Amino acid sequence: MHKRPKHRAFRITVLGATGVVLAAGATTLASAAPSYFGDSAPKPTVVLVNGAWSGPASWHGVIKRLQSAGYPVAAPPTGLRSLSGDSAYLASYLKTIKGPIVLVGHSYGGSVITNAATGNPNVKALVYISAFAPDKGETVKELTAKFPGTHITTDPNPDALPTALDPVPFTLADGTGGVDLYAKADQYRDLFLSNRLSSKDSAELAAEQNPINAQALGEASGDPAWKTIPSWYLVSREDHLIPPATERFMAARAHAHTVVADTPHAAQVTNPATVTKLIEQAADTTH
């Protein structure tokens, strides 16, 4: 009989979109010893990357299911400052993880994993959950407008501030600044949840949202990791932020293993079992 290594986990406190405080960690860090398929093959570390207007704790239901199945899980927070900066941070984080990685991104987090995984041989699978999967030179802004259907704006002017967002200018200590974009509280339930949660729960998520710097939405993406790493994609049929037609387009272009589900933009919040199943399908190919 082979003795299994004892598991150790370190946690940090994160207050995210679900309002859940995870003691001493957004999730179990990847430094924890892996669990196993049978007695020999280690399970990959699953790294979950949040997008704009949410946070690491939006993955709460997915994290519980993955950890119950024995996966090491990590959900480092996304800075939401710039695509290049957010991607560089995640790329550095991934280098601290030993063994195979399944990298999962939601919404803008899809753009981040697309850039951060490039050149990392440990990343064995990319999983996009209602997410952007840009090609080189594309931006979140232009992909959102590629096909009709988004509820983020009713203004036909492509250069206008999306009508579902509120701008909040900020200035940093060095004198530089930018504009943070918040989703309007009265539109959050429709935009992210397609009215699948109660008004009360949706209002709590809107109050806890993490804004994104406007610069990040217009920054061009780099060389896409999905050209060299196998990918999986959850197309949310009821997505009111990224048009489902755009999601289908990106999934087909990446030759992703695609599942189409009756889910809203924040599928990991409303349908964590569906999201977990897709992640596990990707993980099964890494051993």
Side-chain angles (χ1 to χ4, degrees), residues 163-175:
T163 56
L165 305 178
D166 280 328
V168 177
F170 64 86
T171 303
L172 300 175
D174 62 2

Side-chain angles (χ1 to χ4, degrees), residues 181-194:
L181 299 177
Y182 286 80
K184 292 180 178 178
D186 62 350
Q187 297 188 47
Y188 195 96
R189 183 169 180 246
D190 170 68
L191 193 61
F192 297 97
L193 303 161
S194 301

Side-chain angles (χ1 to χ4, degrees), residues 111 113-119 134-137 220-228:
S111 292
I113 70 171
T114 294
N115 288 267
T118 300
D135 202 347
K136 186 175 182 178
S221 189
D223 293 325
W226 49 257
K227 286 191 174 182
T228 56

Side-chain angles (χ1 to χ4, degrees), residues 20-223:
V20 178
V21 177
L22 301 178
T27 63
T28 304
L29 290 182
S31 56
S35 21
Y36 290 84
F37 290 107
D39 290 325
S40 57
K43 287 190 175 182
T45 298
V46 179
V47 179
L48 305 167
V49 181
N50 65 278
W53 307 297
S54 64
S58 65
W59 297 104
H60 178 65
V62 175
I63 291 168
K64 285 201 308 180
R65 287 166 172 79
L66 289 173
Q67 289 182 334
S68 293
Y71 289 91
V73 186
T78 308
L80 305 175
R81 297 292 84 191
S82 69
L83 179 56
S84 55
D86 295 338
S87 301
Y89 177 84
L90 179 60
S92 296
Y93 183 90
L94 295 175
K95 290 177 182 178
T96 69
I97 299 175
K98 295 180 180 179
I101 299 169
V102 174
L103 189 54
V104 186
H106 171 247
S107 193
Y108 167 79
S111 292
V112 177
I113 70 171
T114 294
N115 288 267
T118 300
N120 187 329
N122 282 350
V123 180
K124 304 300 184 182
L126 301 170
V127 184
Y128 294 89
I129 305 299
S130 317
F132 293 99
D135 202 347
K136 186 175 182 178
E138 291 180 334
T139 70
V140 166
K141 183 178 179 181
E142 67 182 76
L143 284 170
T144 303
K146 188 173 184 65
F147 295 97
T150 183
H151 291 195
I152 202 167
T153 189
T154 57
D155 192 329
N157 180 1
D159 296 322
L161 176 72
T163 56
L165 305 178
D166 280 328
V168 177
F170 64 86
T171 303
L172 300 175
D174 62 2
T176 62
V179 177
D180 268 342
L181 299 177
Y182 286 80
K184 292 180 178 178
D186 62 350
Q187 297 188 47
Y188 195 96
R189 183 169 180 246
D190 170 68
L191 193 61
F192 297 97
L193 303 161
S194 301
N195 301 314
R196 298 296 179 87
L197 291 187
S198 68
S199 296
K200 179 182 178 181
D201 290 341
S202 300
E204 290 178 359
L205 297 182
E208 298 161 355
Q209 66 178 282
N210 291 316
I212 188 167
N213 186 356
Q215 173 189 339
L217 302 181
E219 186 174 348
S221 189
D223 293 325

